[in-house]
Amino acid sequence: MTEDVEVRTHETIHITILRARHLKGHRGDAVTSFAKVEFDGKHLGDSAKVETSPDADAEYSFTTTLDCSFADGNHIFDDIASKPILVTITEVLPKEKKQKEEKSSILGQCTIDMLPLLSNSTSNITTSLELQPCPGSPLETVQPDLPKAEVDVMVAVNEALLDHNLLQQSNILTVRIGSLYSPPESWTAVGTQYNYTIGLPVPVSSEKDTSLIFANGAFKLATERELSKRKMKWHSVPNSVAHSQFITTSCTSRIPVDEEKGDFCGKTNKEQRAEAELEKPRVTWDVERRCYLGNEAKSELQMRIAHTRLWPVEIMRTTSAQVKGIGPGTGGKKDKSSSDDDGQVSFHGIAYVDLAPLLYPGVKSVAGAFKLHAFSESELLEKVKRKSAIADSVARVQSSTSRVTGSSPVQKGGKAQAGKEPTVAVPSKKGSGVKQSESSAEIGESVHAAVNTEGTAYKDANSFVYLEFLLATPMVPRREPEDLAELVREYIPPRPQFKRAVGGAQKAIEDYHSQLSSVAVMVLDEFRDAFGPDVFEQDSGQYPEMHQDRKRQLLYQLNSSGKYFAFKEQLKHSIVKIVREKYMKTTTFQNKDDLQQFLSELYVYLVDEMHLALQKVLSVETEETSSVEPFLNSSQLKMFAEEAEVNGDLAAASKYYQERLALDEKNPDHWFDFGSFSLLIGNNTKAKECFKEAVSLQQSYIDGLLMYGIMCTIEESYIEAEAVFERATSLAEANLQSPSLAWMILALFYDIQGNEIRAEHSYSEASKLNKTSQQTTDKNSGAPTEKQDSKHFLVGHDSDLNAATGTGSNVRTQITGSAKSISTVKGTKSTGKKETGRVKSSTDNSVVSNDLDEKPTEMAEDPNLHQKQSIMGNSPTESVFLQAAKWLLDRKALRFAENALSHELLSSLGNPNAEYYIALARLNMMRKDYQDANKNLESSISLNNEHPDAWSMKGHLNYVAGNFVEARDCYERTLAFVTDASETHAIYLRLGSIYLQEEQFSNAKRIFLLACKHSPTCLSWFGVGVACYRLGEIEEAEDALAEANILNNKNAEVWAYLSLVCLKTNRRLEAEQSYKNAIKLGITDEEILNEVHQLQTVVGFGNPSF
């Protein structure tokens, strides 16, 4: 049998008014009062009359109840969220003579917010509330330094209204209506004579909507300044007066304009916003309405936002009852015509609020200023897929009921009247309107007919309204960093950090030496204690027999004291380690002969090592032994690998990367660089393994996480990639390590997936973090770049050139497979030899334009503006798209880089800067699309004729194509600029090789020496050696070739030239040995080989075959 589950049908809320203190009546501090409790205009009960004095509180101890029925679904939860409990403290005045009834006067009111009953699993609220004085109350005259009147209340339920499951499935949507700014000019004359209303739909379920109506907007002139912090009003509090209409816990200040999500959040709108908010009239509501969203309503809201993004908020002006309600000569009664016109809607406008940010992970609010448009049914249907307008509901309600007016609902004589906001909650079928009567249809037609005339006034006045939408919990929760770290550990288990092995033969010998030294010191101490004075007084050379005698005495003393045995035990362990580690003897011997032979060898070895150890202990001067460092370090090996990539020698590059791993396989940078190289050569599987290894060694390695996520994306493992990317963003934000880059790559990932909302959120975060980083940099450097940032934000041009990002650092990858080694362009005659002078930079084009007030349109139209803003001076910050594209190109992630460049083109309004074309040319060269690369470089040079990276890449293109003269001109121009190119090593090598080819040996020597100065490699020294040899500087050539041979003794051409040098200097043995090494390493340059053979024939030696 299944056990029946009891379902709650109702719950009782107990409201207790405990006490009031610091009360003040009309006739002094002795006050007789009672408390009245109401909810939504319903009277719940009155307390007994209580007398109080200045020394005693008014102890009401009054409890009443509010029955909550769950039969109507979520309606009761919505009431609890949006409507407070109203507590009124009333003073009972003493009777006067001939007075039959007691008189009373309201001292003040306060409201109890019951939202905590829905926000968590709490079952009671206990708080002290400030009593808000009513007009005419004695509490208004209380001095500011005296304590305010307070009321202690308690609200309790037997069981929490929402259990844990309901809390997880539901949400609270809070809508705050601020003010309408820059209203139509026609409102200024008659603004206070009309009622201003805002309405918007909120889903109740998948089939029904509720219309939220915010009426009674107050028209205010520009002279009435707004407070920076304003309290929000309750949406509906019947019978409330004065300040009790405000929510005590909702005192908010608006977020900065840059953080808003509205239509006026850009820097272009700052002046317009300031003018509209400070110098023009406005219509103010400052009302807050909370809506309880059950599971179905929550899902429906999320689905609609995902489908349409936009949410309609309608605004309208209706005729006030004060103006048309009572006509002259009607005797205080409404005439028929005024009754028919009451509630007529005019100036029907609409704002489309983009609520898509609510679907961003972790985002709970959308706030901003939203532009008002003329209402159009066709536009409403197209944008939000709705057919009915909120104005129809407003017209029906206000035509049938009289609107309550006045700032205070208290009538003359002190009696309160209903101060309830005119609200409406009209359920309607989704996508279709409720059936209307003929009169309602006529009203609707009149409303829409007026759109073209009155609604367009909002556009003419550039009107906007400030709105806020807040959620109690995010629709899409953001995963915590701890959860992301755990996910990454599941995908990439961290490699345990094993301790380095402390054993080995060398360690065993060192331990043996250490123990011998210790024993020797102790034996020496024993000798000194026994014979010390005699040794210093006598000459031991004259009495050799005394040595033997002292030796016997010392051995006797050691044996008799047991120290000899202790010394043997101290040495025993180190000897056992030598047997195991050096001789690898761990098993018993098969026969005695083998044992005796081994013991003899061991004895000889131990005695020899003992002599070495004793020499170190007894020597007077000991030379300090310095540890031998590896000749090549990690950075040098990386430089050699990159140079090999430039020359297309991928096998050598792979060897250098593997040598780095052998040097230190626990360094994640080594695995990361090898992974990038593997990605370059198309070995995606190996690349992913390398990035995974890098992350396993260091779980917080951000670059490794990003590249591993990119590899997962290439393999379409999107779930794993998303977790890894999110982990990278959380780490980047926490460590402040290029957080904008991590967010940008996450945005590109969502873009590839087609997730527009997530991509938009990531782009927004990346831009915001990039802006913050730039402001921090400018603040530290003291550079005033606010106007520059503002101007380029408008146009979308971000053309700052950061040399550190390495635009040309990966030129080596763009010409892979086509570049020639320096050894192939030795000192041979060139048929196309042409001498040209070096190009000097122009100072005219290096001046930065200081006209910061130039209009954005002028920037877009002036093709030379980017040239004026060259890298010589202060240029605007790079966009996040360009930063990401450069980073991705350096790591050979071409697909992501292409997407980033596409966004850069869009953000620049189709008018990109020189940096964009250079990055695009890099992408083309990596893909071997040299024709498009050349076109993009031409475009870059036309925008900035002094960009060194553009000219260097132009030179590389010509070099690959075999146009050495044009390549030389480009390289010379690049080196002539004041600012160096991002990567100069390849320029030096190739320009030097061209000089060698053209027999300009002096220039070649100078260029290769510059290369050696900046980054010495085998090829740079080899170039110096070749140039010196051709100049006849044999001694310098030998020195340079020796340096090249030290850096790489596997280069056959270096050995060939060393052989030539040795033949020139008549060194037979070295010439022959160098020639043998060149042949052994497989020299392929026939011209050099023939030159060696010819010289060998002339001198008569150097070739063993002679």
Side-chain angles (χ1 to χ4, degrees):
M1 293 180 63
T2 59
E3 199 175 302
D4 294 336
V5 179
E6 184 178 355
V7 179
R8 284 197 300 171
T9 59
H10 71 282
E11 182 63 49
T12 300
I13 300 178
H14 302 272
I15 302 112
T16 302
I17 310 300
L18 299 174
R19 67 190 61 84
R21 52 182 171 272
H22 309 309
L23 297 179
K24 182 179 180 181
H26 287 81
R27 300 187 181 182
D29 296 332
V31 181
T32 301
S33 61
F34 66 92
K36 179 181 179 181
V37 181
E38 300 173 83
F39 178 74
D40 195 20
K42 179 182 177 182
H43 182 227
L44 300 181
D46 297 339
S47 70
K49 299 174 185 177
V50 177
E51 295 183 358
T52 184
S53 63
D55 299 331
D57 299 337
E59 297 288 344
Y60 299 115
S61 299
F62 167 69
T63 300
T64 185
T65 59
L66 173 63
D67 292 330
C68 301
S69 175
F70 301 153
D72 296 335
N74 297 326
H75 178 72
I76 185 61
F77 297 141
D78 191 74
D79 285 345
I80 293 174
S82 61
K83 300 172 183 178
I85 295 173
L86 179 64
V87 178
T88 305
I89 304 298
T90 305
E91 179 187 10
V92 180
L93 300 176
K95 290 184 179 181
E96 297 180 357
K97 293 181 179 180
K98 299 181 180 179
Q99 182 178 341
K100 296 181 179 179
E101 296 181 357
E102 292 180 336
K103 289 185 178 181
S104 61
S105 175
I106 298 178
L107 294 178
Q109 293 179 327
C110 60
T111 54
I112 306 174
D113 189 358
M114 294 192 293
L115 184 63
L117 295 178
L118 301 178
S119 300
N120 46 53
S121 299
T122 184
S123 57
N124 64 80
I125 304 170
T126 303
T127 184
S128 296
L129 302 173
E130 182 181 344
L131 194 63
Q132 303 296 333
C134 294
S137 170
L139 297 177
E140 287 185 318
T141 61
V142 176
Q143 297 296 325
D145 55 341
L146 296 178
K148 302 293 184 181
E150 293 180 340
V151 180
D152 294 341
V153 299
M154 182 176 67
V155 180
V157 291
N158 297 326
E159 186 179 351
L161 296 178
L162 299 178
D163 57 20
H164 179 72
N165 292 333
L166 286 176
L167 280 174
Q168 296 295 323
Q169 297 172 4
S170 61
N171 210 332
I172 302 293
L173 172 65
T174 301
V175 181
R176 290 176 179 169
I177 308 296
S179 300
L180 182 152
Y181 298 97
S182 186
E185 294 182 1
S186 60
W187 289 14
T188 304
V190 295
T192 58
Q193 301 177 11
Y194 291 89
N195 182 30
Y196 303 94
T197 305
I198 283 182
L200 67 151
V202 173
V204 176
S205 65
S206 59
E207 300 294 333
K208 293 190 300 183
D209 287 352
T210 291
S211 298
L212 300 184
I213 307 299
F214 299 84
N216 294 343
F219 187 90
K220 296 185 179 181
L221 299 176
T223 55
E224 303 179 60
R225 298 292 184 184
E226 281 187 314
L227 300 176
S228 58
K229 291 186 177 181
R230 297 182 295 278
K231 288 185 177 181
M232 293 289 111
K233 297 178 183 177
W234 288 103
H235 183 261
S236 176
V237 192
N239 302 328
S240 63
V241 296
H243 295 286
S244 61
Q245 298 177 1
F246 293 95
I247 306 174
T248 56
T249 59
S250 181
C251 183
T252 61
S253 57
R254 293 182 181 176
I255 62 176
V257 176
D258 295 340
E259 298 180 12
E260 292 181 1
K261 302 294 184 181
D263 303 325
F264 293 83
C265 56
K267 293 184 177 180
T268 51
N269 305 304
K270 281 188 175 181
E271 294 183 2
Q272 178 186 347
R273 286 280 298 269
E275 180 184 359
E277 295 176 5
L278 299 177
E279 301 178 9
K280 292 185 178 181
R282 66 184 183 278
V283 179
T284 300
W285 286 267
D286 285 344
V287 177
E288 178 178 307
R289 173 64 159 89
R290 303 160 181 171
C291 304
Y292 175 83
L293 302 177
N295 188 28
E296 190 175 356
K298 174 183 171 183
S299 301
E300 179 67 16
L301 177 64
Q302 186 170 350
M303 184 189 68
R304 290 194 200 176
I305 295 175
H307 287 174
T308 64
R309 297 177 61 101
L310 302 179
W311 203 261
V313 178
E314 299 179 36
I315 187 168
M316 62 217 73
R317 189 179 78 173
T318 57
T319 307
S320 173
Q322 288 181 327
V323 178
K324 306 187 74 174
I326 300 177
T330 59
K333 296 182 181 180
K334 288 186 180 182
D335 55 14
K336 184 175 181 180
S337 61
S338 66
S339 178
D340 293 338
D341 293 339
D342 192 21
Q344 183 179 357
V345 174
S346 60
F347 288 95
H348 189 189
I350 188 170
Y352 294 100
V353 182
D354 187 0
L355 293 184
L358 292 180
L359 299 185
Y360 298 166
V363 174
K364 299 190 293 184
S365 64
V366 172
F370 297 93
K371 187 176 181 61
L372 287 174
H373 307 270
F375 180 83
S376 170
E377 282 188 345
S378 59
E379 187 181 33
L380 181 69
L381 181 61
E382 178 185 357
K383 289 188 174 182
V384 297
K385 305 300 184 291
R386 285 182 60 87
K387 296 181 180 179
S388 59
I390 303 298
D392 299 338
S393 302
V394 175
R396 291 198 305 273
V397 172
Q398 295 203 0
S399 62
S400 60
T401 61
S402 297
R403 186 175 66 87
V404 179
T405 60
S407 59
S408 174
V410 179
Q411 295 178 346
K412 293 181 179 180
K415 293 185 179 180
Q417 74 176 41
K420 183 177 180 180
E421 292 260 359
T423 65
V424 62
V426 182
S428 60
K429 295 290 183 181
K430 182 177 69 173
S432 62
V434 183
K435 290 184 178 180
Q436 303 179 10
S437 62
E438 294 181 1
S439 60
S440 299
E442 292 174 359
I443 294 174
E445 291 174 1
S446 64
V447 169
H448 303 310
V451 168
N452 293 331
T453 57
E454 296 179 337
T456 54
Y458 294 119
K459 181 179 179 181
D460 298 337
N462 209 4
S463 304
F464 60 91
V465 60
Y466 186 85
L467 305 170
E468 293 183 21
F469 293 81
L470 303 94
L471 293 171
T473 56
M475 285 188 178
V476 181
R478 184 178 180 181
R479 288 186 280 196
E480 296 296 329
E482 295 78 11
D483 300 333
L484 292 171
E486 184 63 30
L487 274 176
V488 171
R489 280 194 292 269
E490 291 179 5
Y491 294 131
I492 310 175
R495 183 175 294 281
Q497 298 293 333
F498 294 110
K499 293 183 179 180
R500 291 184 177 272
V502 296
Q506 186 64 29
K507 185 66 169 58
I509 297 171
E510 291 175 358
D511 291 345
Y512 177 62
H513 284 192
S514 176
Q515 296 299 329
L516 281 173
S517 300
S518 176
V519 171
V521 171
M522 289 187 289
V523 172
L524 187 58
D525 292 339
E526 291 290 334
F527 181 82
R528 287 171 178 169
D529 292 340
F531 311 107
D534 298 337
V535 172
F536 289 110
E537 292 177 0
Q538 300 176 3
D539 186 1
S540 60
Q542 298 179 0
Y543 305 97
E545 65 277 4
M546 295 182 64
H547 284 288
Q548 298 297 328
D549 184 52
R550 289 171 181 168
K551 181 179 179 180
R552 287 193 297 271
Q553 293 181 31
L554 178 62
L555 291 176
Y556 174 78
Q557 184 177 350
L558 292 176
N559 279 291
S560 60
S561 62
K563 292 181 179 180
Y564 183 77
F565 178 78
F567 293 157
K568 288 198 303 180
E569 289 297 322
Q570 184 174 347
L571 294 172
K572 183 178 179 180
H573 180 68
S574 59
I575 295 174
V576 171
K577 287 177 63 176
I578 290 177
V579 173
R580 290 178 178 176
E581 298 293 340
K582 182 174 179 58
Y583 292 95
M584 296 179 290
K585 299 295 184 182
T586 57
T587 58
T588 58
F589 290 89
Q590 299 295 331
N591 51 62
K592 292 185 178 180
D593 294 338
D594 294 340
L595 175 60
Q596 290 299 325
Q597 182 179 357
F598 170 72
L599 291 177
S600 298
E601 294 177 2
L602 179 62
Y603 177 78
V604 173
Y605 178 77
L606 292 177
V607 170
D608 291 340
E609 291 297 326
M610 179 187 68
H611 290 158
L612 294 175
L614 292 178
Q615 287 176 4
K616 293 179 182 179
V617 174
L618 300 177
S619 61
V620 179
E621 295 181 358
T622 58
E623 296 182 359
E624 296 183 359
T625 58
S626 58
S627 59
V628 180
E629 296 289 338
F631 181 74
L632 296 176
N633 55 31
S634 175
S635 60
Q636 285 180 303
L637 289 172
K638 182 179 180 181
M639 182 172 59
F640 296 164
E642 291 173 348
E643 184 184 64
E645 290 179 29
V646 171
N647 295 323
D649 192 354
L650 301 182
S654 178
K655 179 178 73 71
Y656 285 126
Y657 281 122
Q658 292 178 26
E659 286 183 13
R660 290 184 78 210
L661 289 174
L663 188 64
D664 185 5
E665 63 178 2
K666 299 298 182 181
N667 191 328
D669 290 333
H670 296 176
W671 287 101
F672 182 83
D673 292 334
F674 190 36
S676 297
F677 171 76
S678 301
L679 188 59
L680 168 67
I681 63 178
N683 193 344
N684 292 350
T685 303
K686 186 67 175 178
K688 184 178 180 181
E689 290 177 359
C690 292
F691 297 136
K692 185 175 182 178
E693 185 70 20
V695 177
S696 67
L697 291 172
Q698 184 179 340
Q699 291 281 300
S700 59
Y701 190 56
I702 298 175
D703 287 357
L705 287 168
L706 292 175
M707 288 306 300
Y708 182 77
I710 289 174
M711 299 309 301
C712 291
T713 306
I714 293 175
E715 296 180 356
E716 298 184 356
S717 301
Y718 296 125
I719 298 177
E720 184 176 357
E722 183 177 17
V724 172
F725 283 136
E726 288 186 9
R727 175 59 176 162
T729 57
S730 64
L731 285 172
E733 289 181 349
N735 301 330
L736 299 178
Q737 296 180 4
S738 301
S740 59
L741 175 64
W743 276 106
M744 184 62 200
I745 295 180
L746 178 60
L748 295 174
F749 164 74
Y750 285 132
D751 204 18
I752 291 174
Q753 276 194 306
N755 193 335
E756 296 181 3
I757 293 178
R758 291 286 185 92
E760 181 182 293
H761 172 234
S762 301
Y763 287 136
S764 175
E765 289 292 324
S767 299
K768 182 174 66 176
L769 291 170
N770 184 53
K771 178 182 176 182
T772 303
S773 176
Q774 180 62 25
Q775 288 176 348
T776 303
T777 304
D778 294 341
K779 183 178 180 181
N780 294 335
S781 62
T785 58
E786 177 66 23
K787 286 189 176 181
Q788 286 182 342
D789 292 343
S790 177
K791 181 174 68 171
H792 289 271
F793 173 80
L794 305 181
V795 185
H797 285 44
D798 297 301
S799 57
D800 181 30
L801 307 179
N802 186 358
T805 56
T807 305
S809 61
N810 276 12
V811 175
R812 58 189 178 278
T813 65
Q814 302 159 358
I815 54 177
T816 300
S818 301
K820 298 180 180 180
S821 174
I822 291 182
S823 59
T824 64
V825 284
K826 57 196 178 304
T828 57
K829 293 184 179 180
S830 173
T831 58
K833 181 177 177 181
K834 180 180 178 182
E835 293 289 344
T836 58
R838 296 185 66 183
V839 181
K840 294 184 179 181
S841 61
S842 172
T843 56
D844 296 335
N845 293 332
S846 64
V847 179
V848 182
S849 174
N850 293 323
D851 186 12
L852 300 181
D853 297 326
E854 186 177 358
K855 294 183 180 179
T857 54
E858 294 175 355
M859 285 187 59
E861 294 172 357
D862 186 5
N864 297 322
L865 183 61
H866 295 289
Q867 184 174 348
K868 297 175 184 178
Q869 295 173 336
S870 68
I871 61 174
M872 304 304 188
N874 245 347
S875 54
T877 178
E878 278 186 348
S879 69
V880 288
F881 307 112
L882 201 53
Q883 291 179 25
K886 289 181 177 182
W887 189 89
L888 292 165
L889 286 173
D890 289 342
R891 276 75 184 174
K892 294 88 177 177
L894 304 187
R895 181 183 178 185
F896 275 71
E898 185 177 20
N899 289 350
L901 290 174
S902 299
H903 285 285
E904 171 66 16
L905 180 62
L906 292 176
S907 68
S908 63
L909 305 180
N911 215 3
N913 55 20
E915 284 291 326
Y916 164 80
Y917 286 112
I918 292 175
L920 187 57
R922 289 182 62 193
L923 180 65
N924 297 141
M925 294 178 75
M926 286 183 180
R927 291 176 171 174
K928 307 296 180 61
D929 188 359
Y930 300 125
Q931 185 175 1
D932 288 344
N934 186 56
K935 291 179 181 178
N936 290 318
L937 289 176
E938 291 291 345
S939 299
S940 175
I941 292 173
S942 65
L943 290 173
N944 186 353
N945 194 39
E946 295 187 4
H947 201 305
D949 288 336
W951 284 106
S952 67
M953 292 179 65
K954 185 80 171 174
H956 293 323
L957 273 177
N958 288 315
Y959 188 90
V960 171
N963 303 322
F964 297 121
V965 175
E966 291 81 0
R968 182 197 62 198
D969 294 341
C970 293
Y971 290 146
E972 288 177 343
R973 179 187 290 265
T974 302
L975 295 178
F977 290 135
V978 176
T979 303
D980 291 335
S982 301
E983 173 59 43
T984 58
H985 188 69
I987 298 174
Y988 290 138
L989 293 183
R990 289 182 170 174
L991 180 58
S993 68
I994 294 174
Y995 283 145
L996 288 177
Q997 191 178 27
E998 295 178 348
E999 298 184 0
Q1000 300 183 44
F1001 302 124
S1002 296
N1003 289 337
K1005 177 183 176 182
R1006 175 176 54 83
I1007 292 299
F1008 280 123
L1009 283 174
L1010 286 174
C1012 294
K1013 179 180 178 181
H1014 290 88
S1015 49
T1017 63
C1018 173
L1019 292 183
S1020 62
W1021 280 113
F1022 175 63
V1024 175
V1026 172
C1028 291
Y1029 179 81
R1030 299 304 176 188
L1031 290 171
E1033 301 170 354
I1034 304 301
E1035 185 177 352
E1036 293 183 7
E1038 183 177 2
D1039 293 340
L1041 292 172
E1043 289 290 339
N1045 189 260
I1046 291 173
L1047 293 174
N1048 182 11
N1049 60 1
K1050 302 295 184 181
N1051 191 310
E1053 283 77 12
V1054 174
W1055 284 111
Y1057 269 93
L1058 280 172
S1059 179
L1060 288 173
V1061 169
C1062 293
L1063 290 171
K1064 288 278 187 180
T1065 55
N1066 199 25
R1067 287 181 286 176
R1068 295 172 176 267
L1069 181 61
E1070 290 150 317
E1072 183 176 332
Q1073 190 66 37
S1074 299
Y1075 174 73
K1076 288 180 179 179
N1077 287 333
I1079 298 299
K1080 181 180 179 181
L1081 292 172
I1083 184 171
T1084 58
D1085 195 325
E1086 294 294 336
E1087 294 184 7
I1088 298 178
L1089 194 58
N1090 292 334
E1091 185 177 358
V1092 173
H1093 287 162
Q1094 292 175 5
L1095 189 56
Q1096 288 173 344
T1097 303
V1098 171
V1099 299
F1101 61 86
N1103 192 335
S1105 62
F1106 286 173

